[in-house]
Amino acid sequence: MSIYKDYLKQIDERKEQGLHPQPIDGAELLSKIIEQIKDLENEYREESLNFFIYNVLPGTTSAAVVKAKFLKEIILGESIVKEITTSSAFEQLSHMKGGPSVRVLLDLALGADAAIAKQAADVLKTQVFLYEADTTRLEEAFNKGNKIAIDIIKSYAKAEFFTKLPEIDEKIDVVTFIAGVGDISTDLLSPGGDAHSRSDRELHGQCLFEHNIAQQNELKAVQAQHPDKRVMLIAEKGTMGVGSSRMSGVNNVALWTGIKSSPYVPFINIAPVIAGTNGISPIFLTTVGVTGGIGLDLKNWVQQKDAEGNTIRDANGDPVLKEEYSVATGTVLTINTKEKKLYNGDTELKDISAAFTPQKMEFMKAGGSYAVVFGKKLQTFASKVLGIDVVPVYAPSKEISIEGQGLTAVEKIFNKNAVGTTPGKTLHAGSDVRVEVNIVGSQDTTGLMTSQELEMMAATVISPIVDGAYQSGCHTASVWDDKSKANIPRLMKFMNDFGLITGRDPKGKYFPMTDVIHKVLNDLTVGDWDIIIGGDSHTRMSKGVAFGADSGTVALALATGEASMPIPESVKVTFKGQMKSYMDFRDVVHATQSQMLKQFGGENVFQGRIIEVHIGTLTSDEAFTFTDWTAEMKAKASICISEDDTLIESLEIAKGRIQIMIDKGMDNAGQVLKGLVDKAENRIVELKTGIKPSLRPDANAKYHAEVVIDLDEIAEPMIADPDVNNDDVSKRYTHDNIRPLSYYGGTKKVDLGFVGSCMVHKGDMKILAQMLKNVEAQYGKVEFKAPLVVAPPTYNIVDELKAEGDWDVLVKYSGFEFDDNAPKGVARTGYENMLYLERPGCNLCMGNQEKAAPGDTVMATSTRLFQGRVVKDSGEKKGESLLSSTPVVVLSTILGRTPTMAEYEAAVDGIVLTKFKPSQKQLVR
């Protein structure tokens, strides 16, 4: 059967699923289609024409190479297709986003035919995705006096590719649609269990609202009633897009409610309108900007105050809210982009200036942030060639500099890494800054989308200014099923060819690693002044400052080595008192959130800001536990301030682990990993000699708020509870509900325990082994009354545990040990009351492969308590994912219930859970 017949067969199969033909990205299939177009008698000619024109992915796909070549033949008259005129061929090239299409346009523009050259130049003037090879060709032609090249470069210097675009509409009518009440996780928009289909946008679109067909039909009905309006998707009484950046979530919302990006590219929509009572999660809002969308902070429910300005609270101590205005489904509102106000008819509801900053409006005009980033670079190139200053076209970056005010840690990092700012000017929070990126991470369930984004922006190789980048295999580690076998090797090859270090070697020379990406990035980050961008909300490092990002922002960082964002405000967190011997550091993490909310009357001062944690004495593994959780605190990022000796210890650990990767054969031709080892060694010398001490804020830095955590107050383990039965729906599934162990009275049934995810480290595995020995000594045996799933974060940890004897202890008490020679091919559907030693990776935390049984109460070290993530609801009971420390999880599975304090203290007797003591040194400059 021919490749075309195979495609037709696939089309029939997709039709049964209610899907259109899958967009074409392969050269072989498109070559066959072109062959059928040229054959005027071919029975498939008409549909082949349709596929060629309207169903080919742009950018650097192999299909795009073939399409651009054929369009060039048509323009030059070498191939005659009566249905595709010269102007039509140029029109199609203009929508192909660079790479092969730009090469063809340059061939034509710099060719001998003056008429064709003029048409090609007109199209090139609209393009922004040009890379060094393209601009070098233009510059060489310019230097030779080529009039067309001169004309194009002059146009680029004026940024006509941007200035000639239509302005955004002054008034945008929207109709509201309540997607849910309370915080809305991106799982609702793009469930983790559907990660395998994210690169097939139409198929993935079927999972919106977690496949809730009734809710999807309700959305369709609202659209049908208001065909002339755009739908605004809303999180009522909550924040939209918590949990992750998830480009696929924004893509799904755009697919259902956005604007078609091109008539020649199917299922790629842009510019969705998204809102929340408490706005949009910071990393999700960045993703909205990638598509040129609008994200509104509605504040339609407001905390009530008494005459003295104090928050009025109900009987449960929760703030009393009043609805300032309604956004019930079907409400018609108007967004005035000129006045930057939200209206209901003639009634002004809300100032929405924050959603319409000059920079965000440029994203909307350009159809997304990429076009603005590349446009600025292209204008700078052209101005340099012409020997002129850059003409102010784009809104000037806001530069805030306050004389006499010191710098927070994040302000120092941004100032060091800033690009294109006013020379000699010190910038403070609120400034818009373009920064160079040191480390980039791509994970495997969004990586396929990142690879697509790279293809669509015509990028072929990683930016030389990036110190290192890593592609993980952790999110698909627990089950090596047919979907993984099809997707992951293809992803690893693409990323390896692009220049990333990959968990799997496409050539099979080193053993596949499924290590949790955040753990790997935490080791690869060897600079406390580094900026890290990663395709996951938990991209939070113990060194430098790391930002979780959508797949598109990751692609942009890989391609350009840069990222753009305002310098965030910071909240300073310090510690006092002393930890009790039986407490785990995870309890400090939860207590930080709990005490912060108490100190600020229930207001989350961490949301959207940097948490600058003066942790001082914790090495990178333990410190990472804190920064990792800051994603659930809704912080934009977190920075650890360390003593010099502590930082040196962390860098030595990182060096050793990077060297293990080198020894395994994971380094590439550019010796990226060796370069990181060298960088770590240089930093250690600087610290030891005092040439450059560890990063510290200035003593006179200004913070949005300061929080002091009293360790003496932490008297018992702390548990983040999803509170699934709260009468107020908006208070369910938030990470702000932190309860002490005694709340449960030692009676709450636990159906499954999970020790794993990025929140645990080697110390947790050792605690588990020691607890099992303690329990056996106390009771004479270890008997599990609930299953315990254990997934070490990395293979290094497993190797170290084996060398130290702890792995043998775990194996002794386990009923299952992972086997890399025969990994699970299907997800486990039931659990026995025993210990499962699973393959390193995300496992239950990701929720896309393994899950607890519906309706279970799960006690986990994980970070995700969102509805349906780790455990779905059953018909009889809501699933619960309670988050706690390793000792609490282990003991809960042995008892089959939450322990009492007496039982807990006995189980951890003699175990050093943490050595954390607040630093006694001055951690400011």
Side-chain angles (χ1 to χ4, degrees):
M1 188 178 287
S2 74
I3 189 170
Y4 187 74
K5 292 286 182 65
D6 289 339
Y7 186 52
L8 294 182
K9 182 182 176 184
Q10 183 201 62
I11 289 172
D12 288 337
E13 291 169 352
R14 288 174 69 86
K15 196 178 294 183
E16 293 175 5
Q17 298 175 267
L19 299 170
H20 294 85
Q22 191 163 4
I24 298 165
D25 62 0
E28 186 181 356
L29 174 58
L30 193 62
S31 295
K32 182 64 178 177
I33 285 171
I34 291 172
E35 181 185 314
Q36 292 171 175
I37 291 172
K38 290 180 177 180
D39 179 3
L40 300 182
E41 303 302 321
N42 191 283
E43 62 177 311
Y44 301 115
R45 185 176 184 277
E46 185 176 345
E47 62 188 31
S48 293
L49 266 167
N50 190 64
F51 289 144
F52 177 84
I53 297 171
Y54 300 108
N55 207 47
V56 177
L57 287 179
T60 57
T61 64
S62 59
V65 174
V66 172
K67 180 168 181 174
K69 180 176 178 292
F70 188 50
L71 290 172
K72 179 182 178 183
E73 291 176 8
I74 291 172
I75 291 168
L76 293 174
E78 297 169 358
S79 291
I80 305 297
V81 180
K82 63 179 184 182
E83 294 89 349
I84 303 177
T85 63
T86 298
S87 60
S88 172
F90 273 121
E91 169 73 4
Q92 290 179 57
L93 283 168
S94 74
H95 285 258
M96 289 182 66
K97 286 197 167 183
S101 62
V102 166
R103 286 196 295 273
V104 162
L105 288 166
L106 284 169
D107 290 344
L108 298 171
L110 303 177
D113 189 310
I116 289 176
K118 173 69 168 57
Q119 291 179 77
D122 288 343
V123 175
L124 274 170
K125 290 175 186 177
T126 68
Q127 304 297 294
V128 294
F129 292 103
L130 276 71
Y131 288 85
E132 188 175 356
D134 306 315
T135 53
T136 298
R137 284 186 69 185
L138 270 176
E139 186 173 6
E140 288 173 352
F142 173 90
N143 290 335
K144 292 176 182 177
N146 184 290
K147 292 182 179 179
I148 291 290
I150 294 169
D151 185 42
I152 293 170
I153 288 176
K154 285 182 176 179
S155 174
Y156 287 163
K158 297 174 187 174
E160 290 181 341
F161 43 74
F162 177 76
T163 61
K164 291 190 174 182
L165 292 172
E167 298 298 327
I168 64 174
D169 293 336
E170 181 178 335
K171 293 183 178 180
I172 301 171
D173 290 330
V174 298
V175 57
T176 63
F177 186 86
I178 304 297
V181 178
D183 287 354
I184 290 183
S185 161
T186 47
D187 266 1
L188 182 76
L189 311 175
S190 169
D194 290 88
H196 63 278
S197 66
R198 287 176 183 164
S199 56
D200 185 345
R201 294 201 185 196
E202 187 191 17
L203 173 60
H204 194 68
Q206 294 184 335
C207 73
L208 185 72
F209 306 140
E210 295 185 315
H211 296 274
N212 186 328
I213 304 300
Q215 192 173 11
Q216 291 176 3
N217 287 337
E218 185 184 352
L219 174 57
K220 289 179 182 176
V222 169
Q223 289 174 317
Q225 292 166 13
H226 302 274
D228 57 337
K229 298 175 182 64
R230 292 163 67 179
V231 171
M232 180 165 72
L233 214 64
I234 298 173
E236 175 79 316
K237 288 188 176 179
T239 303
M240 176 65 83
V242 300
S244 71
S245 53
R246 202 156 294 182
M247 188 81 203
S248 54
V250 172
N251 285 346
N252 273 354
V253 176
L255 186 65
W256 283 79
T257 67
I259 299 168
K260 191 172 176 61
S261 66
S262 167
Y264 305 106
V265 185
F267 316 123
I268 298 180
N269 287 9
I270 59 172
V273 184
I274 303 174
T277 290
N278 296 323
I280 317 291
S281 174
I283 54 175
F284 194 62
L285 186 58
T286 299
T287 316
V288 173
V290 168
T291 67
I294 298 171
L296 300 184
D297 186 0
L298 296 174
K299 291 289 187 288
N300 56 309
W301 290 88
V302 178
Q303 289 186 11
Q304 296 304 287
K305 307 286 184 179
D306 60 21
E308 285 74 41
N310 299 313
T311 300
I312 301 172
R313 299 182 180 278
D314 61 20
N316 297 321
D318 296 319
V320 174
L321 302 178
K322 178 184 176 183
E323 187 179 41
E324 294 290 298
Y325 59 93
S326 174
V327 291
T329 294
T331 304
V332 174
L333 304 173
T334 299
I335 296 170
N336 190 306
T337 63
K338 184 177 181 180
E339 297 178 9
K340 302 179 183 180
K341 301 283 179 66
L342 182 66
Y343 287 91
N344 186 332
D346 295 328
T347 303
E348 180 184 325
L349 302 178
K350 180 81 173 59
D351 182 288
I352 51 175
S353 300
F356 292 95
T357 63
Q359 286 74 23
K360 289 179 180 179
M361 292 183 77
E362 287 174 347
F363 296 167
M364 296 170 199
K365 177 178 176 177
S369 58
Y370 299 167
V372 173
V373 172
F374 277 86
K376 288 179 178 180
K377 290 172 76 75
L378 193 54
Q379 187 191 19
T380 301
F381 151 78
S383 301
K384 184 177 179 181
V385 171
L386 292 172
I388 62 173
D389 292 335
V390 175
V391 177
V393 168
Y394 294 99
S397 294
K398 186 194 300 182
E399 294 189 343
I400 298 173
S401 184
I402 304 169
E403 190 171 346
Q405 180 176 304
L407 297 174
T408 64
V410 75
E411 288 171 339
K412 286 191 173 184
I413 291 177
F414 269 65
N415 274 276
K416 174 187 177 295
N417 293 281
V419 178
T421 56
T422 302
K425 192 170 188 179
T426 299
L427 302 180
H428 289 89
S431 301
D432 294 310
V433 184
R434 204 167 95 238
V435 290
E436 291 187 353
V437 175
N438 302 93
I439 301 291
V440 184
S442 170
Q443 53 99 326
D444 39 325
T445 53
T446 60
L448 289 165
M449 295 171 59
T450 299
S451 65
Q452 282 187 336
E453 298 284 350
L454 288 167
E455 286 179 327
M456 284 192 224
M457 63 176 70
T460 57
V461 65
I462 191 170
S463 169
I465 66 174
V466 174
D467 288 341
Y470 180 73
Q471 171 62 59
S472 80
C474 57
H475 287 63
T476 52
S478 54
V479 182
W480 191 237
D481 55 14
D482 290 341
K483 294 168 185 173
S484 298
K485 291 173 185 175
N487 289 333
I488 303 307
R490 178 162 53 97
L491 171 64
M492 294 293 172
K493 183 180 187 313
F494 179 95
M495 290 300 192
N496 200 280
D497 290 345
F498 198 83
L500 282 74
I501 305 299
T502 53
R504 288 178 177 271
D505 181 9
K507 301 179 181 67
K509 291 183 180 178
Y510 57 81
F511 185 81
M513 274 178 36
T514 56
D515 291 2
V516 173
I517 181 171
H518 324 301
K519 294 295 190 182
V520 178
L521 293 181
N522 196 40
D523 291 331
L524 296 185
T525 302
V526 292
D528 47 331
W529 293 75
D530 282 0
I531 292 178
I532 306 96
I533 298 289
D536 194 288
S537 60
H538 286 99
T539 304
R540 311 292 170 111
M541 301 301 115
S542 60
K543 302 177 289 293
V545 63
F547 298 94
D550 59 277
S551 55
T553 301
V554 171
L556 199 62
L558 287 171
T560 67
E562 295 181 4
S564 299
M565 66 185 87
I567 302 177
E569 289 183 305
S570 294
V571 175
K572 184 178 182 180
V573 177
T574 56
F575 302 87
K576 68 177 183 178
Q578 187 169 345
M579 283 189 69
K580 294 171 176 58
S581 61
Y582 54 82
M583 300 307 297
D584 185 87
F585 188 67
R586 177 71 181 251
D587 301 316
V588 176
V589 173
H590 284 178
T592 297
Q593 192 159 352
S594 179
Q595 290 188 27
M596 174 274 294
L597 290 168
K598 184 178 178 181
Q599 289 175 34
F600 290 88
E603 178 191 354
N604 185 354
V605 297
F606 291 153
Q607 183 164 344
R609 299 184 176 94
I610 303 292
I611 299 179
E612 185 182 284
V613 52
H614 289 233
I615 214 152
T617 55
L618 280 183
T619 53
S620 56
D621 283 349
E622 289 180 294
F624 177 79
T625 302
F626 191 102
T627 56
D628 194 35
W629 183 258
T630 60
E632 312 315 336
M633 296 179 186
K634 298 181 183 177
K636 190 168 183 66
S638 179
I639 291 181
C640 280
I641 308 302
S642 291
E643 294 180 1
D644 289 357
D645 290 345
T646 304
L647 180 57
I648 289 170
E649 188 178 351
S650 294
L651 290 172
E652 292 288 2
I653 292 170
K655 267 177 54 186
R657 291 177 181 166
I658 297 170
Q659 188 59 52
I660 289 171
M661 295 173 72
I662 294 172
D663 294 342
K664 288 180 177 179
M666 297 181 70
D667 213 350
N668 57 17
Q671 293 190 299
V672 164
L673 295 178
K674 183 182 182 301
L676 292 174
V677 170
D678 293 342
K679 181 176 176 179
E681 289 177 344
N682 290 337
R683 187 70 184 106
I684 290 169
V685 170
E686 290 176 339
L687 290 163
K688 286 183 174 180
T689 59
I691 294 173
K692 187 178 181 181
S694 59
L695 168 69
R696 294 180 192 180
D698 291 328
N700 61 337
K702 183 180 178 183
Y703 296 91
H704 173 79
E706 297 191 28
V707 180
V708 180
I709 304 305
D710 189 349
L711 299 177
D712 291 332
E713 289 186 11
I714 311 172
E716 55 182 302
M718 311 288 283
I719 296 173
D721 191 322
D723 202 12
V724 299
N725 296 308
N726 194 310
D727 291 337
D728 186 342
V729 178
S730 70
K731 291 184 172 61
R732 299 176 190 169
Y733 306 106
T734 80
H735 290 77
D736 293 343
N737 188 37
I738 310 291
R739 288 171 169 160
L741 181 64
S742 59
Y743 173 88
Y744 304 95
T747 62
K748 187 173 181 65
K749 186 176 183 291
V750 173
D751 301 297
L752 179 73
F754 174 53
V755 173
S757 85
C758 44
M759 284 295 285
V760 299
H761 52 87
K762 177 184 170 183
D764 290 273
M765 299 295 119
K766 294 182 77 70
I767 288 169
L768 167 58
Q770 293 176 73
M771 282 190 69
L772 293 174
K773 289 188 285 188
N774 272 15
V775 170
E776 184 174 52
Q778 188 177 358
Y779 296 103
K781 63 178 180 178
V782 175
E783 181 180 351
F784 290 93
K785 293 184 179 176
L788 175 60
V789 178
V790 176
T794 69
Y795 279 94
N796 283 348
I797 287 175
V798 175
D799 291 342
E800 290 170 19
L801 292 172
K802 286 179 178 178
E804 295 165 15
D806 294 285
W807 190 258
D808 289 338
V809 176
L810 299 182
V811 171
K812 173 185 173 183
Y813 298 109
S814 72
F816 172 87
E817 182 183 5
F818 74 92
D819 180 0
D820 276 323
N821 294 317
K824 293 200 303 290
V826 293
R828 187 177 283 113
T829 56
Y831 298 86
E832 299 177 44
N833 290 343
M834 65 183 194
L835 170 62
Y836 293 84
L837 287 177
E838 292 283 1
R839 195 181 197 184
C842 301
N843 205 277
L844 282 163
C845 185
M846 181 56 195
N848 64 321
Q849 293 187 319
E850 302 280 39
K851 272 193 183 301
D856 271 1
T857 292
V858 180
M859 187 73 75
T861 61
S862 180
T863 57
R864 301 306 204 197
L865 51 66
F866 304 118
Q867 186 174 20
R869 179 66 176 243
V870 172
V871 54
K872 292 183 177 180
D873 297 341
S874 69
E876 297 75 38
K877 181 180 177 295
K878 289 182 177 293
E880 298 177 90
S881 179
L882 285 79
L883 310 180
S884 62
S885 67
T886 292
V888 171
V889 173
V890 175
L891 194 52
S892 295
T893 57
I894 290 172
L895 299 172
R897 58 172 171 78
T898 53
T900 63
M901 272 303 295
E903 289 168 330
Y904 171 82
E905 288 188 58
V908 300
D909 183 48
I911 301 175
V912 179
L913 297 177
T914 180
K915 297 178 182 178
F916 174 59
K917 291 182 180 179
S919 176
Q920 300 302 306
K921 296 182 179 180
Q922 190 80 345
L923 296 180
V924 295
R925 294 271 174 249

